């Protein structure tokens, strides 16, 4: 995303069109103090120039070159003012027309916000609008309120001394720790269930989702392809994938499903290996447990008599989808495995892969003699 190189001044009506007690017009971009006419259109009763008025203070005054209108103006940022005037349409029209004469274009409030924000803000706002759960929305909202920006601005202004570089490297590392976590605030974590055909993968997904989504069948190999559903576990958005039974087969259709299942397994954020503890263990079960040593292990169908005994790994959770046993513990274990730590309040978290890429470039530049590469990447991080 490119930043608008010159921000031409804009005016936007923030309050709804129509009659009301008060209307608010926001003017964004340096304009009032630029030329004589601009300076005279608003006459504050305290006679101070607008650019000298303190931020966030209400300034009472008169608006217009002829038959002035009473207004209250507030400088809400360095080059942003809000004009509060009479809510009737005439007052709004007149102020916007005066502003037009000063070269201030009238735009919608949404458009004005788009033009006034930089890449970082635009991305954070967009990420917040994509939040899938309250928990992720809370975390994104905190970043939107300036936590990530403060860190980025520190990085932008770092001095290229040994101490400055050391401080920047520590801060970049601290932010990058949360890269994977931050990207999953908008993109669900991918969790793949695997196990022999008929072990109960579809049933377990249905049980986790709380409704029937996958097709459950007595015939091995019925779930031929990858079936995915998005849900939230402990407030984290999660895409559950139910894969074709992983076994050697001659059947072409099922082989394609198996290939897709293998790929999904390899790229998943987390794997859940299911074994049927109502059936004696088979070599494929041991193979899966060996292939995925960090997977969450489910001893499924624990409502049936245990045919595994001491063969069942100690870390296995005993679960029954039919009898609804162990489902809460399983959800908790999945959530803990995906996000073992949550950033403390005030921790900067990058939320897009573009931000993560910029931070990585900055980190590389810090290790070398790359001041210009560092500056470029840090500017890109904020301004796009
Ligand atoms: P998949 O091939 O791994 O997806 O297995 P399914 O979910 O289709 O289930 C296969 C069979 O196991 C079905 O008849 C289910 O009703 C049965 N099943 C699934 N979960 C359980 C369970 O927790 N306990 C028992 N006793 N049977 C189950």
């Amino acid at each position: 995303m490119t930043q608008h190189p010159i921000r031409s001044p804009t005016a936007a009506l923030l309050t709804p069109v129509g009659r009301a007690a008060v209307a608010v017009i926001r003017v964004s971009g340096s304009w009032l103090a630029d030329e004589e006419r601009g300076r005279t259109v608003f006459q504050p009763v305290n006679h101070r120039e607008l650019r000298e008025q303190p931020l966030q203070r209400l300034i009472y005054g008169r608006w217009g070159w002829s038959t002035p209108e009473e207004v209250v103006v507030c400088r809400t940022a360095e080059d942003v003012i809000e004009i509060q005037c009479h809510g009737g349409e005439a007052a709004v029209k007149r102020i916007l027309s005066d502003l037009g004469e000063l070269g201030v274009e009238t735009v919608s409030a949404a458009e004005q916000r788009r033009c006034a924000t930089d890449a970082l803000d635009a991305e954070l706002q967009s990420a917040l609008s994509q939040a899938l759960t309250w928990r992720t929305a809370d975390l994104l909202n905190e970043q939107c309120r300036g936590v990530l920006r403060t860190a980025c601005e520190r990085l932008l202004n770092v001095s290229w001394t040994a101490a400055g570089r050391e401080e920047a490297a520590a801060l970049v590392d601290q932010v990058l720790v949360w890269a994977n976590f931050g990207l999953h605030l908008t993109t669900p974590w991918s969790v793949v269930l695997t196990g022999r055909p008929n072990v109960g993968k579809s049933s377990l997904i249905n049980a986790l989702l709380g409704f029937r989504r996958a097709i459950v069948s007595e015939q091995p190999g019925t779930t031929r392809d990858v079936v995915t559903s998005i849900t939230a576990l402990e407030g984290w958005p999660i895409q559950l994938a139910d894969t074709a039974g992983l076994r050697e087969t001659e059947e072409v259709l099922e082989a394609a499903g198996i290939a897709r299942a293998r790929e999904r397994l390899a790229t998943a954020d987390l794997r859940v290996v299911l074994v049927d503890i109502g059936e004696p263990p088979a070599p494929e079960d041991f193979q899966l447990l060996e292939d995925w040593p960090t997977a969450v292990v489910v001893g499924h169908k624990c409502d049936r008599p245990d045919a595994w005994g001491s063969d069942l790994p100690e870390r296995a959770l005993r679960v029954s989808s039919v009898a609804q046993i162990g489902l809460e513990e399983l959800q908790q274990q999945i959530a803990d495995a995906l996000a073992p730590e949550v950033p403390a309040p005030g921790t900067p978290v990058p939320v897009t892969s573009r931000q993560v890429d910029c931070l990585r470039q900055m980190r590389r530049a810090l290790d070398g003699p790359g001041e210009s590469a560092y500056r470029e990447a840090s500017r890109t991080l904020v301004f796009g």
Side-chain angles (χ1 to χ4, degrees):
M1 189 178 295
T2 51
Q3 191 205 13
H4 290 243
I6 300 165
R7 289 180 190 166
S8 45
T10 56
L13 179 64
L14 302 189
T15 39
V17 179
R19 287 196 65 80
V22 177
V24 180
I25 296 167
R26 181 175 55 206
V27 186
S28 177
S30 54
W31 56 279
L32 271 178
D34 287 354
E35 55 148 319
E36 194 52 38
R37 260 167 77 72
R39 257 176 249 154
T40 56
V41 75
F42 174 60
Q43 304 106 40
V45 290
N46 67 10
H47 299 297
R48 284 166 72 182
E49 280 222 17
L50 201 51
R51 65 175 140 203
E52 289 163 7
Q53 303 280 2
L55 291 180
Q56 308 298 350
R57 192 77 56 78
L58 295 178
I59 317 150
Y60 176 68
R62 284 164 200 278
W63 180 274
W65 295 288
S66 61
T67 53
E69 181 100 22
E70 290 181 349
V71 294
V72 171
V73 167
C74 180
R75 257 181 90 209
T76 54
E78 209 47 53
D79 60 355
V80 180
I81 62 163
E82 285 183 8
I83 305 164
Q84 301 180 13
C85 61
H86 182 262
E89 282 172 35
V92 171
K93 221 164 151 184
R94 182 256 173 101
I95 290 173
L96 290 176
S97 153
D98 289 346
L99 288 166
E101 275 189 45
L102 290 165
V104 181
E105 189 194 353
T106 300
V107 295
S108 71
E111 196 176 331
Q112 189 183 57
R113 199 168 50 237
R114 263 201 308 280
C115 295
T117 56
D118 52 36
L120 188 66
D121 266 334
E123 279 181 350
L124 287 169
Q125 294 296 337
S126 153
L128 181 58
S129 71
Q130 291 167 46
L132 293 168
T133 68
W134 287 112
R135 193 171 189 185
T136 54
D138 273 350
L139 287 155
L140 286 164
N141 193 31
E142 200 193 13
Q143 300 308 316
C144 286
R145 285 166 163 269
V147 173
L148 184 60
R149 170 166 295 278
T150 304
C152 291
E153 282 177 356
R154 266 175 67 195
L155 292 168
L156 201 57
N157 299 320
V158 83
S159 61
W160 203 253
T161 57
R165 289 209 299 268
E166 205 173 298
E167 186 196 326
L171 183 52
V172 172
D173 287 344
Q174 189 196 325
V175 181
L176 278 175
V177 161
W178 299 104
N180 190 36
F181 177 86
L183 297 178
H184 283 109
L185 293 175
T186 49
T187 308
W189 302 88
S190 138
V191 175
V192 178
L193 276 69
T194 188
R196 289 200 287 144
N198 237 20
V199 71
K201 298 180 291 297
S202 318
S203 307
L204 182 54
I205 288 195
N206 288 337
L208 287 172
L209 295 177
F211 65 94
R212 300 182 77 74
R213 167 70 173 77
I215 305 156
V216 181
S217 159
E218 299 282 355
Q219 291 295 311
T222 307
T223 313
R224 288 175 178 248
D225 209 327
V226 179
V227 180
T228 61
S229 308
I230 294 186
T231 187
L233 301 183
E234 305 297 317
W236 304 130
I238 289 181
Q239 183 183 56
L240 292 171
D242 176 6
T243 59
L246 289 175
R247 64 196 170 97
E248 298 310 320
T249 177
E250 294 301 311
E251 204 193 320
V252 179
L253 189 62
E254 197 171 53
I258 289 170
R260 267 193 292 275
R262 286 229 164 90
E263 194 189 317
R264 229 166 223 282
L265 257 183
T267 56
D269 295 305
L270 182 73
R271 287 149 281 266
V272 178
V273 171
L274 279 78
V275 297
D276 181 344
I277 55 174
E279 299 283 331
E284 294 105 297
D285 293 319
F286 292 123
Q287 190 62 52
L288 273 176
L289 291 168
E290 195 184 312
D291 287 350
W292 305 109
T294 58
V296 167
V297 179
V298 167
H300 201 210
K301 309 193 188 179
C302 73
D303 54 300
R304 295 175 69 190
D306 183 356
W308 276 59
S310 59
D311 279 334
L312 190 69
E314 255 178 45
R315 65 198 168 106
L317 268 178
R318 286 167 190 271
V319 175
S320 167
S321 300
V322 168
Q324 303 269 303
I325 299 168
L327 294 170
E328 273 181 26
E329 291 87 332
L330 176 59
Q331 291 187 31
Q332 187 69 54
Q333 212 177 93
I334 292 173
D336 290 350
L338 291 171
E341 276 184 79
V342 180
T347 306
V349 175
V351 303
T352 66
S353 47
R354 193 196 68 86
Q355 293 165 8
V356 171
D357 287 347
C358 288
L359 286 158
R360 291 201 176 123
Q361 280 171 32
M362 287 156 69
R363 190 65 185 82
R364 279 195 294 276
L366 281 162
D367 279 341
E371 177 170 7
S372 63
Y374 175 88
R375 299 278 180 221
E376 163 113 42
S378 60
R379 272 194 299 271
T380 307
L381 173 62
V382 178
F383 302 117

